[in-house]
Amino acid sequence: RLHGLWTRMPKLTRHGSQDLFEQKLDTLRSKRTSEERIRLEKKVKARNCRKLVIKFFFWTVVVLCAIGIVLLAIFAYREEVVENVELAYLFAGAFVLLTIPLTFHHVRGHLQHWFEPVLQACVVRILFMVPIY
């Protein structure tokens, strides 16, 4: 039902999928009863809350892993367990652990909000240099 509404809507908003979703919700509000509206709004709030919780835990784990690798490298260097070259590899690994998820997050954002294809195609190509290199 929403897909048909999506194809019939004029493409006036260019501010992201959230604004478009709110427009669809507004158009559905006029056709539904108050109980259905309340149920739909609760569903939207629950979906947004789940997304925020997942993002928070994902980025927390990534940052804590990177910090853990850096602290482990510093501790190992002080105890003279690793050499300078191995220490450099550990630091590089920590920063790779941070940059690759961040890069894919930005690529997904550009692909999800594809409003200027000429510019965004170049941006996505540049962003893909990070994990490839």
Side-chain angles (χ1 to χ4, degrees), residues 40-57:
L40 186 61
E41 288 173 357
K42 284 182 181 179
K43 193 175 185 181
V44 169
K45 286 180 183 178
R47 185 187 73 166
N48 291 340
C49 184
R50 277 192 303 262
K51 281 179 150 181
L52 285 175
V53 168
I54 289 171
K55 283 182 184 179
F56 174 76
F57 281 118

Side-chain angles (χ1 to χ4, degrees), residues 45-112:
K45 286 180 183 178
R47 185 187 73 166
N48 291 340
C49 184
R50 277 192 303 262
K51 281 179 150 181
L52 285 175
V53 168
I54 289 171
K55 283 182 184 179
F56 174 76
F57 281 118
F58 173 74
W59 288 111
T60 302
V61 166
V62 168
V63 169
L64 287 177
C65 286
I67 291 172
I69 291 173
V70 169
L71 291 176
L72 180 68
I74 292 171
F75 177 74
Y77 182 72
R78 282 189 175 190
E79 297 294 322
E80 298 179 0
V81 176
V82 295
E83 295 179 12
N84 289 341
V85 175
E86 293 170 342
L87 182 67
Y89 286 145
L90 286 173
F91 276 106
F95 287 111
V96 165
L97 187 66
L98 283 174
T99 56
I100 288 182
L102 187 62
T103 300
F104 284 120
H105 172 72
H106 284 293
V107 169
R108 184 194 56 82
H110 278 287
L111 294 177
Q112 187 176 9

Side-chain angles (χ1 to χ4, degrees), residues 113-129:
H113 304 287
W114 193 258
F115 298 126
E116 294 186 34
V118 175
L119 176 68
Q120 285 177 307
C122 296
V123 170
V124 168
R125 285 184 198 134
I126 292 169
L127 285 172
F128 268 125
M129 289 172 62

